């Protein structure tokens, strides 16, 4: 008997206990163990079989690590059919998360009981596939088509009580899964309950599958798996037999499994679980953080304070004046009210936070007791230096001193203190209580336990934390500057901002770069251009003035109602601003450029290639430890389409040689911007990929 499934005989009941930590994934050993267990129970004269999972959960799904490798028998669909076909009464006891193949195993059992905290779901679409072991054929037979389509196309987790209502489980009972399972089997045996095979239930009523397909496809913004799942459910209603429906599901599953979208989504799943694992932090304990300080109560500071308060951390918020402190409190109260509205916070907790957990202050002395302080003041080196000089004076020994700068040199800031080892960058993204990304910027002298504290704080605040090194813009904003420049170059050469935005949202980005600029505020880019010009730009670098003109006229994007787009109150999104194209045309004429046509494909290719090239530099210079750190940064902070896995996964899937060859071709027209990153050249020369670097750790 396989060790992954333990066999035990209790009277007439054979108990199969999965033991494959951490999540009882249905790897080959588990599948073999289940098959052997069913066969043994049948041959040894048991009357019933109970299947449950040891540890924290029932099966959380097929073993994702086996995807892409040669499959080993028994395959999950046949195993599920075999379980369902058993003449014994087969019962599943669910706890934890019965997901994907895990729920499919449960659905092939004849009865299901769950503990109240259990959740079930078919999240396969989130991995770019569809349920492949009968989920699309069995679930609709139980719940009806509409509910099954909802569960399968969203991939959402369904709580036990809802699962009971839907008929997915037959009973909910508190207790240890083994105990409640055994009691239920005995109850069923006592009442002589019949074997009940879901695959033999009548076919459910159909719906208008074409219209559901269209709406799900539209909602997926380019992601195919949810829409394909609709077709699989359709097969449940339309196939000649259950077996034919299963065959159709298998065919659709197999096609998706080898698709780039599934590779991208599986990469994203693995990357976000690896990103916080850093060898340097192994065995390093974080410092204790019981209370934090936030300096500055603008949008960013208030967002950071909100995130901390929502995680249960008391906050001392420092502002320059009483009026500013009150305004900051109002901002935080607004954020918290949003959390109450979304059901994430109770009214009592909301009031308690504002009354007891948030302390307003106007003098640095109030920060003397905090364990960690995050500065979110104006993005100006002189101002930041002043702040850190003060912090060095007032903060207690061992306090972590963090800057939320998005571009500035953290080493220079740390040098203002007598304790640079305590200084770190914690770069939140706005709005900080909503955006998931946190760049943890490690300066030359930052102590390992301070880095560990940054990661622990990120986890507490439910952020996805990425380690970054010090450079202008760290990982995310540095890469952004490059691909944003590429977009500007294309505008000068003849592509309109609107064509570019459309091409990139069609590619899957949440927003195009010009709509993003309007959202962030055009004054930010303007300040950057002025700074770069003042510092002296390389004469080979291309520059443009059309966006400056918008700013000079007081148009900063959404906050002023006008930028690349015009925004009307109460309406989502904007319409193109007619003033923009004449400004661009004048700029081109002044620079002697004859505009040309761009295809959407070329726009995407140039934009992505610029992103990949800069990302390769960022990895090559060690600013990002691994390519996956870049991918996670872009996925969580920059609206990169998850189903493409991140820019460096995209590059791997395109083929690095082709990416490099494009850069070399384009360097003939602009050999300053299109200089190949040394790491990209090296990988192509060695026939390796970014994924190879991820694997190397
Ligand atoms: C499927 O079932 C296809 C079938 O329809 C058809 C087949 C023919 N496999 O997330 P965590 C690892 S598709 C392998 O940090 P949590 C994970 O990588 C599958 N490994 O914990 C991590 O490893 P490490 C459908 C898996 O408590 C560790 O477990 N199922 C799998 O925050 C802990 O994970 C899904 O899509 C897996 N399936 O969340 C469920 N799942 O420690 C995917 C997890 O080395 N999983 N690992 O970093 C989840 O959603 C969450 O992991 C879960 C636990 C909610 C279960």
């Amino acid at each position: 008997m396989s060790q992954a499934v333990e066999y035990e005989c209790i009277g007439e009941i054979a108990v199969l206990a999965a033991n494959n930590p951490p999540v009882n994934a249905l790897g080959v050993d588990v599948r073999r163990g289940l098959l052997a267990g069913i066969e043994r129970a049948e041959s040894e004269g048991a009357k019933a079989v109970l299947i449950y999972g040891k540890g924290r959960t029932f099966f959380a799904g097929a073993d994702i690590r086996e995807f892409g490798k040669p499959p080993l028998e028994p395959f999950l669909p046949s195993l599920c059919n075999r379980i369902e076909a058993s003449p014994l009464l087969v019962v599943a006891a669910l706890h934890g998360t019965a997901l994907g193949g895990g729920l499919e195993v449960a659905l092939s059992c004849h009865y299901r009981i769950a503990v109240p905290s259990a959740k079930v779901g078919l999240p396969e679409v989130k991995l770019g596939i569809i349920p492949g072991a009968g989920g699309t054929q069995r679930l609709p037979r139980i719940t009806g088509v509409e509910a099954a389509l909802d569960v399968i196309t969203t991939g959402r987790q369904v709580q036990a009580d809802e699962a009971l209502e839907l008929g997915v489980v037959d009973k909910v009972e508190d207790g240890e899964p083994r105990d409640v399972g055994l009691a239920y089997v005995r109850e069923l045996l006592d009442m002589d309950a019949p074997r009940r095979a879901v695959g033999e239930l009548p076919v459910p009523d159909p719906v208008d599958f074409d219209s559901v397909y269209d709406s799900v496809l539209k909602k997926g913004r380019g992601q195919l798996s949810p829409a394909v799942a609709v077709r699989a459910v359709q097969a449940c209603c339309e196939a000649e037999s259950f077996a034919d429906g299963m065959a159709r599901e298998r065919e659709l599953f197999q096609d998706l499994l080898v698709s780039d979208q599934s590779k991208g989504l599986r990469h994203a799943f693995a990357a976000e679980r690896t990103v916080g694992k850093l060898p340097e932090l192994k065995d390093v304990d974080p410092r204790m953080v019981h209370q934090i300080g936030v300096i500055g109560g603008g949008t960013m500071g208030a967002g950071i304070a909100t995130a901390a308060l929502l995680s249960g951390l008391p906050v001392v918020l420092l502002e320059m004046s009483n009026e500013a402190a009150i305004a900051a409190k109002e901002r935080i109260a607004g954020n918290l009210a949003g959390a109450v509205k979304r059901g994430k916070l109770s009214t009592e907790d909301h009031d308690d936070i504002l009354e007891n957990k948030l302390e307003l202050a106007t003098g640095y002395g109030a920060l003397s007791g905090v364990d960690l302080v995050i500065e979110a003041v104006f993005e100006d080196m002189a101002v930041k230096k002043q702040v850190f000089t003060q912090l060095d004076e007032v903060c207690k020994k061992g306090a972590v001193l963090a800057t939320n700068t998005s571009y500035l040199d953290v080493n220079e800031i740390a040098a203002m203190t007598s304790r640079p080892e305590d200084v770190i960058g914690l770069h939140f993204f706005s709005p900080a209580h909503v955006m998931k990304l946190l760049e943890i910027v490690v300066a030359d002298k930052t102590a390992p336990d301070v880095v560990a504290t940054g990661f622990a704080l990120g986890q507490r605040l439910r952020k996805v934390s990425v380690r970054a090194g010090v450079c202008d813009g760290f990982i995310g904003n540095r890469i952004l500057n490059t691909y944003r420049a590429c977009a500007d170059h294309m505008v000068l050469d003849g592509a309109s901002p609107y064509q570019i935005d459309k091409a990139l949202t069609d590619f899957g980005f949440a927003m195009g770069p010009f709509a993003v600029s309007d959202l962030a505020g055009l004054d930010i880019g303007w300040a950057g251009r002025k700074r770069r010009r003042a510092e002296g730009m390389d004469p080979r670098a291309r520059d443009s003035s059309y966006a400056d003109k918008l700013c000079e006229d007081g148009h900063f994007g959404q906050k002023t109602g006008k930028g690349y787009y015009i925004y009307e109150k109460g309406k989502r999104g904007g319409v193109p601003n007619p003033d923009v194209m004449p400004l661009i045309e004048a700029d081109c004429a002044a620079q002697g450029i004859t505009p040309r046509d761009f295809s959407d494909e070329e726009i995407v290719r140039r934009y992505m290639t610029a992103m990949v090239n800069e990302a390769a530099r960022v990895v090559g210079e060690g600013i990002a430890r691994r390519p996956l750190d870049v991918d996670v940064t872009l996925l969580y902070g920059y609206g990169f389409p998850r189903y493409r896995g991140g820019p460096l996964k995209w590059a791997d899937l395109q083929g690095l040689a082709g990416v490099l060859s494009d850069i070399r071709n384009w360097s003939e027209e602009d050999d300053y911007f299109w200089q190949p990153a040394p790491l990209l050249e090296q990988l192509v020369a060695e026939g390796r990929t970014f994924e190879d670097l991820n694997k190397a750790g």
Side-chain angles (χ1 to χ4, degrees):
M1 189 93 220
S2 129
Q3 284 186 338
V5 178
E6 295 165 9
Y7 188 96
E8 185 189 3
C9 216
I10 301 181
E12 296 171 313
I13 307 170
V15 179
L16 309 189
N19 186 11
N20 185 28
V23 295
N24 283 321
L26 286 150
V28 65
D29 288 341
V30 178
R31 298 197 301 275
R32 282 181 186 152
L34 285 173
L35 180 60
I38 292 282
E39 285 171 348
R40 181 167 163 191
E42 288 171 5
S43 70
E44 289 184 358
K47 277 202 172 158
V49 179
L50 170 67
I51 301 177
Y52 81 99
K54 284 190 152 184
R56 62 199 240 206
T57 183
F58 193 74
F59 312 107
D63 191 332
I64 297 168
R65 291 162 306 182
E66 286 183 358
F67 291 166
K69 295 186 185 151
L72 294 170
E73 292 198 64
F75 304 143
L76 198 56
S78 350
L79 174 64
C80 287
N81 289 344
R82 177 68 183 81
I83 293 172
E84 185 173 83
S86 175
L88 310 183
L89 197 71
V90 190
V91 178
L94 314 183
H95 79 294
T97 41
L99 300 177
L103 180 58
E104 290 174 304
V105 167
L107 291 174
S108 62
C109 296
H110 305 136
Y111 292 89
R112 290 159 293 282
I113 185 164
V115 301
S117 57
K119 291 179 198 148
V120 304
L122 293 170
E124 284 86 343
V125 294
K126 295 184 178 172
L127 297 171
I129 52 176
I130 60 167
T136 65
Q137 306 304 302
R138 289 194 176 92
L139 188 66
R141 281 178 158 84
I142 294 179
T143 64
V145 167
E146 224 165 289
L149 282 171
D150 165 47
V151 170
I152 296 171
T153 61
T154 60
R156 72 183 175 90
Q157 292 187 6
V158 177
Q159 309 275 350
D161 52 354
E162 191 191 346
L164 182 66
E165 260 171 53
L166 289 173
V168 177
V169 298
D170 303 292
K171 194 168 180 180
V172 175
E173 191 78 49
D174 208 357
E176 288 300 314
R178 182 177 180 279
D179 300 340
V180 295
L182 274 172
Y184 188 43
V185 177
R186 287 192 187 112
E187 186 186 319
L188 290 166
L189 286 175
D190 285 349
M191 60 197 256
D192 226 0
R195 221 188 112 264
R196 200 187 51 177
V198 176
E200 291 164 17
L201 292 176
V203 168
D205 290 337
V207 295
D208 179 353
F209 284 107
D210 286 346
S211 88
V212 178
Y213 177 87
D214 289 344
S215 74
V216 170
L217 188 63
K218 198 163 161 223
K219 224 164 122 195
R221 286 220 312 251
Q223 189 186 328
L224 296 176
S225 50
V228 174
V230 176
R231 295 299 186 212
V233 173
Q234 184 171 3
C236 167
C237 297
E238 294 176 2
E240 296 273 308
S241 64
F242 179 75
D244 283 354
M246 286 290 285
R248 179 72 181 133
E249 178 195 81
R250 189 78 186 153
E251 190 185 4
L252 295 170
F253 170 83
Q254 299 280 22
D255 285 352
L256 287 175
L257 190 62
V258 294
S259 68
D260 281 357
Q261 290 202 357
S262 176
K263 288 176 191 158
L265 285 163
R266 281 185 270 139
H267 170 74
F269 179 87
E272 68 199 11
R273 281 165 179 76
T274 311
V275 72
K277 289 182 186 148
L278 294 171
E280 74 206 57
L281 296 187
K282 210 168 163 269
D283 303 326
V284 178
D285 290 329
R287 297 184 188 174
M288 297 301 278
V289 175
H290 301 293
Q291 187 188 33
I292 74 162
V294 175
I295 307 177
T299 308
M300 186 52 99
I304 296 170
T306 307
L309 291 164
L310 283 172
S311 80
L313 274 173
V315 173
V316 179
L317 188 127
L318 189 72
E319 256 297 356
M320 310 253 276
S321 64
N322 281 332
E323 296 75 55
I326 289 164
K329 186 172 180 177
E330 274 166 17
R331 263 179 222 117
I332 294 168
N335 294 341
L336 293 174
V340 173
K341 215 169 145 190
R342 288 192 304 276
K344 301 230 176 268
L345 185 71
S346 69
T347 326
E348 299 81 66
D349 287 346
H350 167 273
D351 297 348
D352 177 52
I353 286 175
L354 286 177
E355 274 161 36
N356 305 318
K357 304 276 164 55
L358 174 65
E359 183 185 328
L360 300 176
T362 51
Y364 273 83
L367 297 175
S368 61
V370 301
D371 305 298
L372 182 148
V373 56
I374 305 169
E375 152 290 300
V377 302
F378 189 61
E379 189 74 346
D380 178 280
M381 185 54 101
V383 180
K384 306 260 184 203
K385 282 183 171 175
Q386 253 175 20
V387 169
F388 275 77
T389 308
Q390 303 242 39
L391 287 178
D392 194 27
E393 276 167 25
V394 301
C395 285
K396 68 181 181 189
K397 190 169 170 279
V400 173
L401 312 182
T403 168
N404 176 54
T405 178
S406 40
Y407 284 97
L408 300 173
D409 185 340
V410 183
N411 285 318
E412 212 177 315
I413 295 172
M416 298 311 293
T417 71
S418 60
R419 37 175 146 173
E421 66 281 4
D422 294 340
V423 178
I424 193 163
L426 292 179
H427 180 210
F428 289 83
F429 288 69
S430 191
H433 58 296
V434 177
M435 292 289 284
K436 294 286 273 179
L437 183 64
L438 175 64
E439 273 182 310
I440 296 187
V441 187
V442 180
D444 291 349
K445 293 188 178 155
T446 310
D449 66 341
V450 170
V451 182
T453 311
F455 274 90
L457 180 74
Q459 196 171 24
R460 175 147 195 191
L461 269 45
R462 305 176 79 162
K463 303 290 175 202
V464 176
S465 305
V466 180
R467 183 203 186 280
V470 176
C471 69
D472 190 357
F474 317 126
I475 299 178
N477 281 345
R478 171 166 162 186
I479 297 171
L480 163 76
N481 271 344
T482 301
Y483 64 77
R484 191 62 184 72
C486 175
D488 279 335
H489 298 171
M490 289 192 282
V491 166
L492 284 177
D493 291 335
S496 80
Y498 313 108
Q499 188 195 356
I500 293 175
D501 275 1
K502 166 108 182 26
L504 290 161
T505 48
D506 286 350
F507 176 80
F509 276 96
M511 292 170 90
F514 296 94
V516 169
S517 295
D518 271 1
L519 178 68
L522 298 185
D523 44 331
I524 295 180
W526 193 29
R529 287 192 297 280
K530 285 195 278 196
R531 174 167 62 91
R532 283 193 292 277
R533 286 171 195 148
E535 285 167 359
M537 282 167 64
D538 190 293
R540 294 169 297 167
R542 299 183 71 179
D543 197 7
S544 55
S545 63
Y546 64 89
D548 299 347
K549 299 249 163 36
L550 280 173
C551 295
E552 284 159 15
D553 291 343
H555 304 312
F556 296 142
Q558 285 200 18
K559 60 186 167 191
T560 58
K562 215 176 194 186
Y564 289 102
Y565 297 85
I566 294 177
Y567 301 89
E568 271 182 50
K569 272 221 162 78
K571 280 202 183 154
R572 269 190 100 198
V575 293
N577 175 359
D579 297 342
V580 170
M581 289 313 293
L583 291 175
I584 293 171
E585 281 152 22
D587 202 353
C588 290
Q591 297 198 38
I593 299 167
T594 312
R596 68 174 177 90
D597 285 342
F598 279 78
S599 68
D600 289 357
E601 199 189 347
E602 182 182 356
I603 288 172
V604 169
R605 185 82 191 171
R606 282 181 179 253
Y607 190 80
M608 284 304 304
T609 302
M611 191 183 300
V612 168
N613 199 35
E614 191 63 27
R617 280 185 212 289
V618 162
V619 177
E621 291 168 21
I623 299 298
R625 276 285 162 82
R626 304 148 298 190
L628 66 87
D629 295 279
V630 170
D631 286 342
V632 171
T633 303
L634 271 289
L635 287 175
Y636 280 97
Y638 297 82
F640 194 95
R642 187 175 168 91
Y643 63 82
R644 297 195 188 269
L648 295 179
K649 183 67 188 176
W650 176 87
D652 273 354
L653 290 170
Q654 299 299 303
L656 298 189
V659 173
L660 180 61
S661 147
D662 279 351
I663 294 173
R664 287 192 174 134
N665 287 337
W666 296 331
S667 75
E668 283 170 22
E669 63 193 53
D670 179 353
D671 65 357
Y672 179 70
F673 185 77
W674 292 110
Q675 295 177 37
L679 178 64
L680 185 60
E681 290 183 311
Q682 187 192 336
L683 288 175
V684 172
E686 293 170 357
R688 295 166 75 214
T689 61
F690 287 112
E691 186 56 23
D692 291 330
L693 298 182
N694 285 330
K695 284 193 188 126

